[in-house]
């Protein structure tokens, strides 16, 4: 453990900046001062040779907001992707093999079940007993919406009880680990050791570093891999994974919306909705699911042959929680991908439609009643959301008849007891003409009502796509790949087709809900396929530079040993939207502020805008720390008492950072002894 030191004015320690004790990793860190040496040019390239995969099998987990699943592939037969076993339960009309992302814990906070099993068991509980069980669904959104994510961040179950988020995610990942390992072993001819498996977990590209680290920490807690073997786990970006899989598509595996007429939801004869070919494809897919093994092209698919070197395309991942947009360029002949613009998007997934439905119920029945019903009858509330989810999937533009949503009997009964009147009377009093009441105990949502529920979310997605395509550097985009579970919605398909259908070809893979999962497996087999990424933020550290009168403000002046220094200058590692290739590194050298120092802590700062100079500028915030654990220095030849005749040598620690992967990585070396220094980077302790 490092000794306590006084802040050194010549170090990277900023006056008045007290480093907080991080909560993860668990080891406590003391404040340590460091002195910067001359920075090296940044960034420099080290060509990373493509290595053969050292693992026997790749298992990918697509951890989604509304549904999740896993798939795997053996490296000796990498053209075959095996999908997970079909789940018990399931919803009518759902054509994919994923499970709802819902988790059930016992009243004693022990894991009980996940997915359909959790949902069905919770549904069958006695209403009074259900209030004591902890049911979580759509909890991934919390990680995106929390600005100060830490290991202590909590999630609230449907019954209002709170649990640490890291434990909820670890329970879910452990569930997938157990199921995937069992299935892999059933299909493997040899005995697999734990270190022979590479795990891949998907996250939205718009997630920042803390959220990515959070998923990694949850995977460690779940026992997927050991923290001592971090290379065994890859974090895959969802639209990137989709892009990787789309490279393999053949023409019969996609729906080309550009070939559909842009009318009022019907083809030229007006005989059928324009999405019918998509539904036929889904039906064929459903019938072929018994094999659960998908074969992918060894090279690239027919669709890809239409793309020339330099052609660019957009992948719009429209999932349950987020819309995630990425722009790629194809690099021939090697078939690698280059990101052209930093990931963009936001919390505009299909969950937005669910929230709009809840808001509509609050408008009709009163917000106080809905909140009371959710807390007193949590299982019945889940039933209601499931009923809406099933009907939501069938909503289509131009649909003439209303959508019926079954209200649970407990809702109708609870409202009568709570308000002293019927649900039908509440509907009449609300003057909401677009929602009717059926004597069979159903809410009847007209087409106008469905449009009202879908429009805000779909409008945001379309706005993001149009804004991206309007950028001068993205002119000439040839394809838009629409992927993710929400891309199955005919409502979204039609809106995107109307907005950009004349500017580019809109392609939807037939197995659109599984595109990311399959691509994540391919990414695990070859992580070098995305060769260049864009940095979403400025990253850097605070340093001292020589004070220049007239250029630097006087309040930044620091006089030390008779020299004038300017404090708080942001030394940038990378800039916003900067292209960073795989293998590109940024190097900085640091020296301990005093002899015997055992730990160096460097605060990392970030900013979403370029117009910043100092770490104290608006928009700049401390986002993480780099910790370098210093080994005992080796004695110099001929040294007496640890120092040579000319006094102690100035010790140099060279840190190397990589920004071209899906996660920021750091390594370090003691220059004098050429020994590796234990280096870690932490974004969860702020």
């Amino acid at each position: 453990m490092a000794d306590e030191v006084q802040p050194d004015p010549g170090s990277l320690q900023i006056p008045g900046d007290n480093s907080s004790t991080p909560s993860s990793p668990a080891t406590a860190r003391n404040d340590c001062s460091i002195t910067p040496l001359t920075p090296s040019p940044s960034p420099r390239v080290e060509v990373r040779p493509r290595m053969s995969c050292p693992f026997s099998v790749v298992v990918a987990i697509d951890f989604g907001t509304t549904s999740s699943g896993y798939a795997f592939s053996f490296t000796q037969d990498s053209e075959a992707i095996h999908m997970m076993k079909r789940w018990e339960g399931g919803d009518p009309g759902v054509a994919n093999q994923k499970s709802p992302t819902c988790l059930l814990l016992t009243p004693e906070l022990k894991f009980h079940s996940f997915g359909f099993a959790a949902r069905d068991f919770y549904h069958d509980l006695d209403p009074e007993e259900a209030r004591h069980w902890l049911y979580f669904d759509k909890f991934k959104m919390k990680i995106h919406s929390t600005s100060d994510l830490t290991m202590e961040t909590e999630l609230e179950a449907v019954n209002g009880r709170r649990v640490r988020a890291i434990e909820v995610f670890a329970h879910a990942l452990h569930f997938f680990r157990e199921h995937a390992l069992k299935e892999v072993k059933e299909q493997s001819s040899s005995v697999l050791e734990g270190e022979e498996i590479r795990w891949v977990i998907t996250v939205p590209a718009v997630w920042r570093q803390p959220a990515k680290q959070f998923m990694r920490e949850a995977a460690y807690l779940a026992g997927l891999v050991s923290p001592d073997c971090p290379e065994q786990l890859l974090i895959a970006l969802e639209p990137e994974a989709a892009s990787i899989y789309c490279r393999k598509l053949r023409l019969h595996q996609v729906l080309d919306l550009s070939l559909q007429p842009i009318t009022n939801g019907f083809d030229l004869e007006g005989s059928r909705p324009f999405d019918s070919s998509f539904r036929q494809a889904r039906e064929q897919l459903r019938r072929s699911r018994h094999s659960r093994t998908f074969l992918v092209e060894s090279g690239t698919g027919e669709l890809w042959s239409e793309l020339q070197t330099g052609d660019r395309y957009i992948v719009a991942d429209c999932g349950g929680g987020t819309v995630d947009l990425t722009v790629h360029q194809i690099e021939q002949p090697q078939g690698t991908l280059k990101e052209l613009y930093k990931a963009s998007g936001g919390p505009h997934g299909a969950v937005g439609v669910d929230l709009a439905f809840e808001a509509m119920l609050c408008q009709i029945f009163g917000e106080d009643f809905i909140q009371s019903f959710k807390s007193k009858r949590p299982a019945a509330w889940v039933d209601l959301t499931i009923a809406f989810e099933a009907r939501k999937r069938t909503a289509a533009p131009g649909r003439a008849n209303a959508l019926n949503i079954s209200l649970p009997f407990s809702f109708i009964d609870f409202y009568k007891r709570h308000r002293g009147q019927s649900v039908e009377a509440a509907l009449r009093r609300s003057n909401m003409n677009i929602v009717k009441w059926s004597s069979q105990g159903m809410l009847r949502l007209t087409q106008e009502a469905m449009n009202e529920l879908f429009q805000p979310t779909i409008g945001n997605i379309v706005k993001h796509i149009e804004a991206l395509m309007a950028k001068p550097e993205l002119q000439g985009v040839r394809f838009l790949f629409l992927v993710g579970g929400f891309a199955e919605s005919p409502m979204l398909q039609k809106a995107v087709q109307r907005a950009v259908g004349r500017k580019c070809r809109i392609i939807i893979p037939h197995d659109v809900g599984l595109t990311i999962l399959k691509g994540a497996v391919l990414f695990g087999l070859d992580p070098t396929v995305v060769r260049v990424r864009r940095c979403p933020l400025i990253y850097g550290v605070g340093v001292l530079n020589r004070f220049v009168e007239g250029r630097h403000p006087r309040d930044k002046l620091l006089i030390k040993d008779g020299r004038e220094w300017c404090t708080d200058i942001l030394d940038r590692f990378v800039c916003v939207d900067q292209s960073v290739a795989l293998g590109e590194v940024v190097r900085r050298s640091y020296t301990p502020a005093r002899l015997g120092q055992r730990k160096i802590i460097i605060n990392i700062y970030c900013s979403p805008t370029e117009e910043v100079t100092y770490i104290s500028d608006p928009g700049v915030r401390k986002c993480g720390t780099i910790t370098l654990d210093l080994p005992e220095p080796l004695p110099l030849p001929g040294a007496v008492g640890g120092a040579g005749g000319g006094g102690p040598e100035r010790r140099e620690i060279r840190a190397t950072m990589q920004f071209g992967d899906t996660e920021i990585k750091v390594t370090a070396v003691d220059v004098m002894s050429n020994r590796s220094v234990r280096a870690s980077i932490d974004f969860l302790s702020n």
Side-chain angles (χ1 to χ4, degrees), residues 410-582:
S410 60
F411 185 98
I412 299 168
D413 181 61
F414 194 78
Y415 187 79
K416 193 156 192 175
R417 293 186 188 199
H418 196 271
R419 288 281 201 254
Q421 59 176 327
S422 68
V423 165
E424 187 178 1
L427 260 175
R428 281 199 305 268
R429 201 181 66 252
S430 71
N431 292 322
M432 192 170 282
N433 298 323
I434 55 176
V435 181
K436 309 291 184 186
W437 176 247
S438 160
S439 57
Q440 295 172 307
M442 295 181 180
L443 289 179
R444 291 177 56 79
L445 273 60
T446 63
Q447 179 64 42
E448 188 184 349
M450 292 307 292
N451 286 340
E452 201 169 289
L453 296 181
F454 274 85
Q455 189 45 47
T457 298
I458 287 179
N460 277 317
I461 293 172
V462 169
K463 196 190 309 176
H464 273 290
I465 294 172
E466 288 180 322
L468 194 60
M469 293 185 73
K471 294 187 180 298
E473 62 268 41
L474 298 183
Q475 296 306 300
V477 166
R478 290 192 58 194
F479 289 91
L480 169 66
F481 290 94
L482 208 55
V483 302
F486 198 24
E488 293 182 357
S489 166
M491 303 283 278
L492 177 62
Q493 291 175 16
K494 177 189 174 185
V496 173
Q497 185 200 29
R498 278 186 160 176
V500 298
R502 290 188 171 91
K503 298 176 186 173
C504 65
R505 288 177 65 183
I506 303 167
I507 305 294
I508 306 177
H510 284 169
D511 53 346
V512 64
L514 300 174
T515 302
I516 291 160
L517 184 51
K518 294 178 188 176
V521 174
L522 297 175
F523 176 70
L525 291 166
D526 180 15
T528 66
V529 65
V530 180
R531 195 187 63 81
V532 179
R533 292 184 174 88
R534 293 278 180 155
C535 196
L537 301 169
I538 289 175
Y539 288 100
V541 294
V543 297
L544 301 176
N545 275 2
R546 288 290 178 87
F547 189 86
V548 178
E549 194 70 51
R551 190 206 304 177
H552 296 138
R554 297 293 297 179
D555 63 346
K556 300 290 183 189
L557 174 62
L558 174 75
I559 299 176
K560 184 196 174 193
D561 298 332
R563 289 185 174 177
E564 294 187 340
W565 298 92
C566 180
T567 64
D568 293 359
I569 288 181
L570 180 65
D571 171 31
R572 303 179 183 203
F573 296 154
V574 286
C575 299
V576 174
D577 208 28
Q578 177 180 336
S579 284
V580 189
L582 275 180

Side-chain angles (χ1 to χ4, degrees), residues 44-78:
R44 37 184 301 182
V45 179
E46 289 182 351
V47 178
R48 181 165 67 180
R50 181 172 168 183
M51 312 257 311
S52 59
C53 188
F55 305 99
S56 300
V57 63
V58 170
V59 181
I61 300 173
D62 179 12
F63 201 117
T65 300
T66 52
S67 60
S68 300
Y70 65 86
F72 59 93
S73 179
F74 295 97
T75 53
Q76 297 301 314
D77 185 20
S78 58

Side-chain angles (χ1 to χ4, degrees), residues 217-344:
E217 297 285 354
Y220 292 154
L221 190 60
L224 263 67
V225 301
S226 163
D228 298 326
C229 303
E231 68 284 347
Q232 239 189 296
L233 172 66
L234 293 178
I235 299 296
L237 308 182
E238 288 162 2
E240 269 191 13
S243 179
I244 292 165
Y245 176 66
C246 287
R247 293 159 67 247
K248 304 287 187 179
L249 289 172
R250 300 181 70 85
L251 291 174
H252 71 273
Q253 294 174 310
V254 302
L255 171 67
D256 189 342
L257 280 192
S258 316
L259 303 179
Q260 306 285 346
I262 304 177
T263 64
N264 192 28
F266 289 81
D267 66 12
L268 294 179
E269 289 79 37
S271 58
R272 58 183 175 85
F274 78 86
D275 64 300
S276 62
S277 57
F278 186 68
R279 293 187 177 197
Q280 288 167 9
R282 286 201 308 186
E283 188 56 42
Q284 288 173 352
L285 194 68
R286 190 184 292 117
R287 291 196 198 108
S288 69
R289 280 280 161 76
H290 62 275
S291 70
R292 295 186 301 107
T293 299
F294 290 80
L295 296 178
V296 294
E297 296 284 309
S298 55
T300 53
E302 296 165 307
L303 199 60
W304 225 246
S305 62
E306 297 186 34
L307 288 167
Q308 308 298 316
T309 298
D311 273 354
R312 57 208 43 193
Y313 61 92
I314 294 173
V315 176
D317 171 22
C318 305
T322 54
V323 57
D324 223 3
L325 306 177
T326 195
V327 187
H328 279 165
Q329 190 173 47
I330 185 76
E331 296 181 313
Q332 300 285 22
Q334 65 272 39
T336 51
L337 303 175
K338 176 181 179 181
E339 190 175 26
L340 287 185
Y341 192 77
K342 65 179 181 178
S344 60

